[in-house]
Amino acid sequence: KTPFFSGLTAMEKKLAEYKCNTNEAIQLKLVRFPEDLEDDNTTFNPEYSHQVFGDDEVAFGYKGLKILLYYIAGNLSTLFRVEYTSKVNEKFDCVEADDVESKIREIIPPGFCTNTDDFVSLLEKEVNFKPFGVLLHTYSIHNEEAGEDITYQIYKADMTCPGFREYHERLQTFLMWFIETASFIDVDDERWNYFLVFEKYNKDGATLFATVGYMTVYNYYVYPDKTRPRVSQMLILPPFQGEGHGAQMLETVHRYYMSSPTVLDITAEDPSENYVKLRDFVLVKLCQDLLCFSPVKLMQGFSQEMVTEAQQKLKINKQHTRRVYEILRLRATNMGDAEQSRSYRLDVKRRLIGPYKKKQRELAKMRRCLRPEEMTNQLNQIDLSLQREQLEESFQQLVSDYRRVLERLAQA
């Protein structure tokens, strides 16, 4: 038997050489100038590729696999090519290579280029590309590398804008690579709003626009005559991450809806940890000047006045207003003062303990049916000490998140 097994491992070893990590194989670019095509510094890779290539994020059958997905910076016209140094041979190895190309074709819209010359000739027409929709906000950020201020603009678009539907199809392909549970939306539903960020840049004396990121918001109906916009997807493309565009966009979107009397408040669908941090920062920035959040009122505790004012003026819901209150109260509290610090800790823990208490009641109900009385008591004691530990842990984590928000606010 032994020779057979050693043969198998040799074969396995050989086949293992034909496995490629798809997060490394996929090479993305946002191209402004022909020389970007050869410049490795403009390349970036996906964070995720499991939705296209399975949980292992592996493509089988190739050595040196490169999946090139290059986009023109503004209108996102696409170059798609698959390259490799060698491929398994069916006749020889009795195995078939994955059909990488058809997997990618499933998520990118048709009409892409397959050779560089066509792509470069499209690049020359990019000067005609203009952002879609209505301009909502212009801001600039100082760029150390360029040694100058760069201007950005935020637009609100919809499917009636000529060319926007096709552009959005190209744009949404990025979701697959950067949002873990991404899905494409039904663009025929008119309740979607689209917000887009563009960078203005110069090329041969002309002003051009590059896509930076976008957000989709769905307008839910609330009886009898209101809507509740819910942020669905938000993506700042990797070359622009960490520059503050997410905060600019979220604040602009809030301001856009604030002016509408029919909007109740703004929520988010299944927000990521990063989105929650971003939202904390933006909402605290918007709320800090409201009278109901003055230091004196913060020290008196969370109030209905805060809920009402934040909702009416800034379209912020009760749950988010509570977080804003806790963050601003932390700023107003001298944590070195035993009394102030104790009062803050109790206030936050009272909110945190809510879900625990509910769980406790449910457990007690179950146990009454199942166990003798004395046992229930003992178990409750164990639960309580564990609960205190978890509560303290949650509190400490929260305070450190809140402090980061306040640090960012101090620099803003």
Side-chain angles (χ1 to χ4, degrees), residues 350-360 362:
R350 257 201 302 272
R351 173 180 69 81
L352 290 176
I353 207 165
Y356 285 107
K357 282 195 163 156
K358 187 170 177 243
K359 204 164 145 195
Q360 205 79 31
E362 285 163 6

Side-chain angles (χ1 to χ4, degrees), residues 366-407:
M366 272 167 56
R367 288 195 184 118
R368 273 203 300 277
C369 311
L370 299 172
R371 302 185 188 284
E373 203 54 49
E374 62 276 2
M375 195 139 180
T376 314
N377 264 339
Q378 271 175 316
L379 276 164
N380 280 346
Q381 291 312 310
I382 299 167
D383 273 0
L384 280 173
S385 62
L386 185 69
Q387 181 182 302
R388 277 195 202 100
E389 250 171 76
Q390 287 175 333
L391 203 56
E392 181 57 29
E393 218 172 281
S394 305
F395 175 77
Q396 292 301 343
Q397 180 57 52
L398 211 55
V399 168
S400 84
D401 287 347
Y402 288 176
R403 286 195 197 284
R404 269 198 291 276
V405 174
L406 292 171
E407 277 163 27

Side-chain angles (χ1 to χ4, degrees), residues 103-151:
K103 285 189 159 122
I104 298 283
R105 276 171 181 268
E106 275 176 31
I107 64 155
I108 65 169
F112 49 82
C113 306
T114 51
N115 73 66
T116 314
D117 293 345
D118 292 348
F119 188 68
V120 171
S121 69
L122 279 179
L123 191 56
E124 287 159 16
K125 300 188 186 127
E126 178 71 349
V127 67
N128 303 318
F129 172 75
K130 294 287 176 278
F132 302 93
V134 184
L135 175 63
L136 297 181
H137 178 52
T138 301
Y139 61 98
S140 52
I141 292 176
H142 185 72
N143 184 299
E144 291 296 328
E145 224 173 294
E148 59 177 358
D149 288 353
I150 293 179
T151 301

Side-chain angles (χ1 to χ4, degrees), residues 38-51:
E38 302 306 316
D39 182 357
D40 287 342
N41 293 324
T42 62
T43 305
F44 55 102
N45 302 92
E47 272 175 55
Y48 308 104
S49 54
H50 62 92
Q51 299 223 67

Side-chain angles (χ1 to χ4, degrees), residues 282-291 293-295 314 324 328 331 406 409 412:
V282 170
L283 299 190
V284 169
K285 184 169 175 255
L286 287 170
C287 285
Q288 57 183 352
D289 298 326
L290 292 181
L291 285 174
F293 289 110
S294 66
L314 304 171
V324 167
L328 287 172
R331 183 169 73 177
L406 292 171
L409 205 62

Side-chain angles (χ1 to χ4, degrees), residues 163-336:
F164 179 63
R165 179 181 289 259
E166 294 74 17
Y167 164 86
H168 175 264
E169 278 190 0
R170 299 189 289 274
L171 175 60
Q172 70 176 356
T173 58
F174 285 101
L175 296 176
M176 283 297 160
W177 312 128
F178 298 103
I179 293 181
E180 200 170 351
T181 55
S183 57
F184 293 162
I185 63 176
D186 171 14
V187 294
D188 292 320
D189 188 332
E190 288 168 7
R191 284 180 292 186
W192 284 106
N193 287 151
Y194 306 84
F195 297 90
L196 308 156
V197 187
F198 294 96
E199 176 191 324
K200 289 172 94 164
Y201 70 98
N202 293 318
K203 183 177 178 180
D204 308 327
T207 300
L208 278 74
F209 292 87
T211 301
V212 171
Y214 82 119
M215 181 194 267
T216 56
V217 181
Y218 192 76
N219 294 295
Y220 277 92
Y221 167 71
V222 180
Y223 182 83
D225 60 352
K226 295 262 193 272
T227 57
R228 174 171 270 140
R230 186 163 83 175
V231 176
S232 171
Q233 296 147 326
M234 176 177 184
L235 178 65
I236 302 296
L237 295 169
F240 304 98
Q241 286 173 7
E243 296 176 356
H245 302 294
Q248 289 280 355
M249 178 148 63
L250 190 54
E251 185 173 339
T252 301
V253 168
H254 255 273
R255 290 190 185 283
Y256 170 78
Y257 288 117
M258 264 154 52
S259 61
S260 165
T262 60
V263 169
L264 197 63
D265 52 34
I266 301 167
T267 61
E269 181 187 330
D270 193 15
S272 68
E273 216 173 292
N274 286 338
Y275 180 80
V276 172
K277 287 174 182 167
L278 175 72
R279 181 174 64 199
D280 282 342
F281 167 70
V282 170
L283 299 190
V284 169
K285 184 169 175 255
L286 287 170
C287 285
Q288 57 183 352
D289 298 326
L290 292 181
L291 285 174
C292 63
F293 289 110
S294 66
V296 174
K297 293 200 168 171
L298 286 165
M299 288 315 193
Q300 290 165 1
F302 188 54
S303 68
Q304 184 54 44
E305 184 194 1
M306 293 171 183
V307 176
T308 308
E309 200 169 344
Q311 184 169 22
Q312 285 176 355
K313 292 187 176 163
L314 304 171
K315 311 294 184 187
I316 299 171
N317 72 17
K318 183 176 180 176
Q319 194 188 350
H320 303 160
T321 304
R322 172 71 205 204
R323 275 182 81 90
V324 167
Y325 152 77
E326 288 177 9
I327 294 168
L328 287 172
R329 178 159 174 184
L330 178 64
R331 183 169 73 177
T333 301
N334 172 8
M335 291 301 269

